[in-house]
Amino acid sequence: MIVRFSGFRIAAHCGLLLCAVLAGPAFAAQDSHCDYFEAGVKHVYWGDLHVHTGFSLDAWGYGTVATPREAYAFARGAPIELPGGHTVKLDRPLDFMAVTDHAEWFDLMYACTDPLWKEDPYCTVLTTRNTAATGTEVFAEYVVPTITKADPRQTSLCQGDPALCANGSMHQWQRIQRQAHDANAPCTFTSFAAYEWSATPDFSHTHRNVIFGSEQVSREAIDYLRFPTPERMWRELDRQCRAEDGCDVVVIPHNTNMGDGKSFDVETEPADALALRARFERLIEIHQEKGNSECLPVFGTTDEDCGFEVILNRSSRPTPAAEFSEAEWERMRGSYVRRLLLRGLYSYAESGVNPLQLGIIGSTDNHAAAGGFVEEDQWLGSVFGIGDIERTMARQTWNPGGMVGVWAEENTRSSVFAALQRREVFATSGPRIKVRISASPNPLSCDNGATGDMVPMGGKLAGGIGAAYFLIEAQYDRIPLQRIELIKGELRGGELIEEVVPVWQADDGGLDVCGTWRDADFDPTAPAFWYARVQEAPTPRWTAARCIAADRCDDFPEARRAIRERAWTSPIWYLP
């Protein structure tokens, strides 16, 4: 690797540094672009595309009452009060965010918590037991009977009065849209209208976030109760969100680490379903508060490569690896990100369509309306026990969640959403590590900037090339970088192969690292992908900060440990 350790370098094309963006007029008057806009010059913008507020039943149930409006204000730098009375504020505000409240209970939340509606006895648990200490009662009363069934059903309130709930759901969705649009401030802050489709059959998380690119959105919030499979959701999106009406949308699977291998049946799906999946599901969330979804090792082995923030669950309960059968393990492993990318290569070879050509993002899944609140030394635990050391340490395997970085020309909805669609995005486990990978059939260097044949991350190398060269750039946030690896997946001779290639390491750390790598084993007949993973030097994990603050580390011996924070680029593909 060619490594620059001399601090921050600024290349003619801005390198990994944000070109100067100063507060000022939102738009240049002559062309409706931001005043800092320069065609072809991309900046890094930081965001969170997975945030819940008091409009989500599970967040409300554990004491969150903040609205989407308050969540967007927090993202822009305002303080927010968390359940339990703790007030927090972001050290560094976000550039963009989407509130993704659960669509399945828009009707219930509107009917039970809006002051315009009359009281109903069915709402009593929801309105009187919504605290961290009693939230499990809310969860058992309303969440479990609805979305955890293979045959999902409306709440009894909505079964008894369908018109009330249909009207309530529509009002709640309109309210969410209005608060998202009010928060949008072109060139300063981008907000997206969004919701979550929350399928949890048999407690397997097959959830998706649905993010719209403009004010043109689906008429209804498309939920799991009425559209209980991914295919039915895509087909309804296809019907309600039409390009000719100016509507565009991306669907982002998350928590595939808890999906038990479900909802990615690309080997058996018909061609039209594969096409819909490829059209809508262009991204995947690799890291959030309920664990990391990059990879699992082969059954019966341990592997540091796949050991980062892993949470093993069966029916939403922590489960030791030894309790899984090989069939269960391999099925679960099949929906982790790296395995999905490999399965996409196989599907491409069989059908000519890669339905799993997924860009990689991170987000928080924060259920306290505090998007982007990811600092390990500040996080107070998940919504189930914010600030309470006993309840917090009961979920030690959870974490503050991740971030998504986009490379876009300006901080506007159209520019940020275009970056999401073309997959020029990356994920981190929390820090603001800037990273990107580019590829070319010709040699690259750290000094040549963008070239005509350079493919950015998220893109695809042309078929029939004779070689593959890569340019990897990474810049630290607050902690020096120590490792860069390139992960390669390939379908060769009918066999799916994955490889982790160390390309740079420095125990004393690096700040601004740039280097090139040539795939000496490149096979022009074999479909493949490559993505980069960057790791920081170890730092204390949030559990260490919390047990030290409470002087309780002796009571929680597993808490006092370090974490090696990291970032992942979206892949670059070769599909001959």
Side-chain angles (χ1 to χ4, degrees), residues 288-365:
Q288 59 123 269
E289 69 171 21
K290 291 196 286 289
N292 188 267
S293 300
E294 183 186 5
C295 57
L296 272 186
V298 173
F299 180 73
T301 67
T302 56
D303 181 358
E304 181 184 356
D305 169 51
C306 295
F308 178 72
E309 293 291 324
V310 168
I311 296 178
L312 299 177
N313 276 327
R314 181 189 282 120
S315 298
S316 288
R317 297 185 182 280
T319 309
E323 294 187 17
F324 290 91
S325 69
E326 183 172 1
E328 289 173 326
W329 183 270
E330 290 304 317
R331 183 171 62 249
M332 178 172 63
R333 182 172 177 252
S335 60
Y336 277 68
V337 172
R338 192 185 298 174
R339 201 67 190 169
L340 288 173
L341 295 175
L342 285 162
R343 290 171 64 188
L345 299 182
Y346 181 83
S347 182
Y348 170 78
E350 292 291 306
S351 67
V353 175
N354 185 349
L356 296 172
Q357 196 169 327
L358 300 165
I360 292 174
I361 71 160
S363 285
T364 61
D365 193 18

Side-chain angles (χ1 to χ4, degrees), residues 51-94:
V51 180
H52 294 276
T53 75
F55 285 15
S56 281
L57 172 59
D58 51 353
W60 168 275
Y62 286 91
T64 296
V65 296
T67 64
R69 191 180 309 282
E70 291 168 297
Y72 286 121
F74 175 79
R76 297 186 66 178
I80 198 169
E81 185 175 317
L82 305 179
H86 302 273
T87 298
V88 297
K89 186 174 183 290
L90 288 178
D91 290 343
R92 295 179 286 184
L94 299 179

